[in-house]
Amino acid sequence: MVKIMPKVLADEQRIGLSSDYDRNLFTLDPRIVDTILGTFIKMFSDEMVYKGVRIVNWDPKAKTTLADIDTERVERDTELVYIRYH
């Protein structure tokens, strides 16, 4: 992940993401990993973390997933594609 960080940061800046790039930290940075883990454990204890099978909202133009709140549902006939992973 560390090797691709410059590309990730460049992409974020290119799309206009507003961030303090001088204080950017990777999630597994040793300086903050205890805080990240503690936050996850607290969220898990508060039942805010779950695992489920669900459809994601894929944006083919942005090449990323979108939150439900960022999408509008439009019904249309399309092909159903199955992908088999090995």
Side-chain angles (χ1 to χ4, degrees):
M1 179 66 177
V2 175
K3 290 180 182 179
I4 66 167
M5 285 307 293
K7 177 163 178 25
V8 170
L9 294 176
D11 287 347
E12 289 175 352
Q13 290 172 328
R14 182 180 51 79
I15 65 171
L17 182 69
S18 177
S19 181
D20 184 351
Y21 291 100
D22 293 329
R23 298 188 309 155
N24 193 39
L25 293 172
F26 177 54
T27 308
L28 297 178
D29 186 305
R31 295 172 290 174
I32 62 168
V33 73
D34 289 339
T35 301
I36 300 295
L37 181 58
T39 302
F40 180 83
I41 290 170
K42 169 94 170 82
M43 291 176 68
F44 184 83
S45 297
D46 292 344
E47 298 182 355
M48 297 174 69
V49 176
Y50 65 92
K51 180 179 179 180
V53 177
R54 58 173 281 153
I55 295 174
V56 296
N57 305 303
W58 180 254
D59 182 336
K61 187 174 181 183
K63 297 183 180 172
T64 189
T65 56
L66 301 173
D68 288 339
I69 197 167
D70 296 326
T71 62
E72 288 184 18
R73 298 281 178 209
V74 177
E75 294 219 14
R76 61 183 177 177
D77 292 331
T78 61
E79 292 183 31
L80 180 60
V81 178
Y82 290 93
I83 301 173
R84 188 172 84 185
Y85 295 96
H86 297 274

